[in-house]
Amino acid sequence: MRGLVRLAIGLWLGGLSLITATRAEEWTDELTLWTGAVAHSPQRPLPWINLGQQYQYRGQPEKAALAFRMASRAAQAPARDRDEQIVGRAIADTNLALLAINRGDRAEGLRQLLLITTRSPELRTPQRLVKWVCAESPLPGC
């Protein structure tokens, strides 16, 4: 009987060690971490947002934009609670607006920011970014 208990405990610990080693590989860098998080939870906006930011930091705006669009879509899912829908979508869409501004399309960035402020007037960051864009170069809508 004792031998069976020891065997069961050994197998259990071996399984936990394997899981730990597998997950530890995802911590090699933040891009790998968030790619793994997206694979484990593709329905949640936060992993997509963080993955998009990692692509943005690495100078890959097309991949960043795709990740931010996926985050926005995930945030709009009916399964998300209301706060996650509002904040997740606003963060994702704000990042898309900033990508547009960074590539030189200030008018598109402003258009996106104005949509966010209309949809979620309680959020201050998009409002501040609208003021910043308008102060830098007055555009229609300012």
Side-chain angles (χ1 to χ4, degrees):
M1 184 65 135
R2 282 185 124 161
L4 286 175
V5 170
R6 286 183 182 162
L7 178 63
I9 291 172
L11 289 174
W12 179 68
L13 290 174
L16 289 177
S17 296
L18 181 62
I19 291 169
T20 300
T22 303
R23 294 291 290 175
E25 290 176 13
E26 292 181 5
W27 285 81
T28 56
D29 64 24
E30 289 192 59
L31 181 61
T32 307
L33 171 69
W34 292 113
T35 301
V38 162
H40 291 293
S41 300
Q43 73 286 359
R44 299 196 55 97
L46 184 61
W48 286 109
I49 290 168
N50 289 329
L51 179 61
Q53 289 175 339
Q54 290 307 307
Y55 283 132
Q56 193 172 7
Y57 296 151
R58 287 170 168 73
Q60 298 175 301
E62 296 83 15
K63 287 183 177 182
L66 176 61
F68 294 140
R69 284 192 293 274
M70 293 299 293
S72 183
R73 190 172 303 133
Q76 295 175 59
R80 305 273 60 91
D81 66 46
R82 182 86 175 120
D83 288 339
E84 192 173 19
Q85 287 177 354
I86 292 168
V87 175
R89 186 175 182 191
I91 292 171
D93 292 351
T94 298
N95 278 295
L96 285 167
L98 291 172
L99 283 174
I101 292 166
N102 286 338
R103 72 171 179 268
D105 194 348
R106 297 180 75 78
E108 175 59 19
L110 176 63
R111 185 191 69 76
Q112 291 178 11
L113 289 169
L114 289 171
L115 284 173
I116 298 164
T117 59
T118 300
R119 189 175 56 234
S120 304
E122 68 278 12
L123 300 177
R124 300 288 179 240
T125 299
Q127 293 174 10
R128 290 182 183 126
L129 289 171
V130 166
K131 289 178 184 176
W132 169 72
V133 170
C134 290
E136 290 290 313
S137 57
L139 295 166
C142 285

